[in-house]
Amino acid sequence: MFGNSILYHGIVELIDMEMEKKSFLKSLGFRREIKIVAKCTCPLCEERVDEDEFRSEAFVKEFKSSGLCQGCQDTVFGYRVAW
């Protein structure tokens, strides 16, 4: 039972952090981009994103942070830098 309580609080903290991040981004004028990323679509090229397209966990982490697909990450960060 104690383990479930810790898990619950961890999930609540994660949700609060995500809501805080979205609220901050909205205040900066990124409302459209937030909606696009929520639909699992890249905010730059507006193509549907599939997690299987990423070459490593680092790219997946960047996607979870920015919403950028693998192709746009390569363009923005440079192909060699991204490796």
Side-chain angles (χ1 to χ4, degrees):
M1 186 108 181
F2 182 72
N4 288 339
S5 176
I6 292 172
L7 178 63
Y8 171 77
H9 290 293
I11 291 170
V12 168
E13 287 174 16
L14 184 63
I15 290 170
D16 287 346
M17 185 173 65
E18 189 65 26
M19 289 174 68
E20 223 174 274
K21 179 181 166 185
K22 285 181 181 179
S23 177
F24 176 69
L25 290 171
K26 285 178 183 178
S27 74
L28 295 175
F30 291 103
R31 291 182 184 279
R32 178 185 158 274
E33 290 80 1
I34 291 170
K35 289 178 183 178
I36 289 172
V37 171
K39 295 177 187 174
C40 213
T41 302
C42 179
L44 291 183
C45 68
E46 297 189 9
E47 294 291 322
R48 184 97 172 123
V49 178
D50 179 10
E51 269 196 49
D52 293 334
E53 72 184 75
F54 299 107
R55 293 190 299 269
S56 73
E57 187 61 33
F59 294 108
V60 173
K61 286 176 95 174
E62 177 58 37
F63 164 71
K64 289 178 180 177
S65 176
S66 66
L68 297 178
C69 68
Q70 183 67 67
C72 287
Q73 286 185 43
D74 290 344
T75 301
V76 170
F77 300 116
Y79 188 76
R80 291 181 183 221
V81 174
W83 279 68

